[in-house]
Amino acid sequence: ETGVTQTPRHLVMGMTNKKSLKCEQHLGHNAMYWYKQSAKKPLELMFVYSLEERVENNSVPSRFSPECPNSSHLFLHLHTLQPEDSALYLCASSLQDSPLHFGNGTRLTVT
Amino acid sequence: GNSVTQMEGPVTLSEEAFLTINCTYTATGYPSLFWYVQYPGEGLQLLLKATKADDKGSNKGFEATYRKETTSFHLEKGSVQVSDSAVYFCALSDAGGTSYGKLTFGQGTILTVHP
């Protein structure tokens, strides 16, 4: 148990589908993050939320839409994805100036 | 911009062998440095960290020393176990950044330890 829970663990979706990834933390952290992990590439930071406000968006395509309704929950809404979006999507949380705690990720396959 | 370069894997060792995974970085200022480990089917876990030059991070028998003169943070372990088989990521955070979350990662090194 990492303290950061991601659901679902696996997701297969077609290019025309709409789905959402969910992340939940009960560590009392005030910052949450989405990272993308693709094969043979470094982890890519997608979004950062601090105190529920988005503070970073690393040029992520608009087909990925994050939502942070409160400091414990983070969503990644997906629509009209491409096969190259298939990857492991990792959620993480932290307190300011403290290391990240990662969830176990959602393995996404776009068909 | 910041960058992290790790030795390419995969690395395959026998149990009780000595491990070194090289990591060098490029950054402005004085970044903090980290090693994260990812076991199969799991997310990343912080293994160790160092926040200033000459600091040594250590955990579970692993060590890494922050070498500013060589811009390196090599990971070492004197005697690996089968349970150490995982992917290891070197990372840095922006100097003076307000959050460690803005990490720049290396590409990861796969370690396999055989009995």
Side-chain angles (χ1 to χ4, degrees):
Chain A
E1 177 59 49
T2 69
V4 179
T5 303
Q6 289 187 244
T7 54
R9 289 297 307 272
H10 301 273
L11 177 62
V12 180
M13 59 186 290
M15 290 189 285
T16 58
N17 292 156
K18 291 184 180 181
K19 297 286 184 182
S20 296
L21 310 185
K22 179 181 177 181
C23 177
E24 187 172 353
Q25 61 92 5
H26 296 290
L27 300 170
H29 291 167
N30 57 11
M32 298 187 78
Y33 315 81
W34 281 115
Y35 277 86
K36 177 183 179 182
Q37 185 178 20
S38 304
K40 300 182 180 179
K41 292 177 66 176
L43 272 74
E44 303 170 53
L45 178 62
M46 300 175 71
F47 302 104
V48 181
Y49 278 82
S50 178
L51 299 173
E52 302 156 36
E53 179 180 342
R54 190 190 311 179
V55 297
E56 186 147 338
N57 175 348
N58 276 352
S59 303
V60 179
S62 59
R63 58 185 183 270
F64 295 91
S65 175
E67 178 189 2
C68 188
N70 55 62
S71 60
S72 298
H73 294 87
L74 183 67
F75 295 90
L76 188 62
H77 304 299
L78 315 171
H79 65 98
T80 59
L81 295 191
Q82 305 298 311
E84 60 265 28
D85 296 323
S86 298
L88 181 67
Y89 289 84
L90 291 165
C91 174
S93 69
S94 75
L95 284 171
Q96 292 292 98
D97 296 331
S98 70
L100 296 180
H101 289 252
F102 282 87
N104 288 336
T106 295
R107 173 68 63 186
L108 174 67
T109 303
V110 181
T111 60
Chain B
N2 298 336
S3 67
V4 176
T5 303
Q6 291 179 233
M7 65 183 289
E8 288 199 24
V11 174
T12 303
L13 296 172
S14 298
E15 206 164 25
E16 299 183 5
F18 184 85
L19 169 71
T20 299
I21 300 178
N22 290 339
C23 172
T24 57
Y25 67 90
T26 302
T28 55
Y30 304 96
S32 294
L33 302 174
F34 306 85
W35 278 99
Y36 278 83
V37 58
Q38 185 177 31
Y39 298 103
E42 298 184 10
L44 279 70
Q45 302 174 27
L46 178 66
L47 181 59
L48 53 85
K49 66 181 174 74
T51 57
K52 61 183 187 295
D54 299 324
D55 268 2
K56 177 185 284 188
S58 62
N59 186 26
K60 299 181 181 179
F62 291 90
E63 293 183 341
T65 301
Y66 189 149
R67 301 287 188 199
K68 187 169 175 58
E69 63 276 14
T70 55
T71 61
S72 65
F73 193 55
H74 305 321
L75 182 69
E76 297 181 336
K77 186 175 185 181
S79 176
V80 294
Q81 305 300 311
V82 172
S83 58
D84 294 326
S85 298
V87 184
Y88 291 81
F89 294 89
C90 185
L92 66 82
S93 73
D94 287 334
T98 58
S99 171
Y100 286 0
K102 295 184 184 180
L103 294 171
T104 300
F105 284 90
Q107 74 273 28
T109 301
I110 299 172
L111 170 66
T112 303
V113 180
H114 293 297

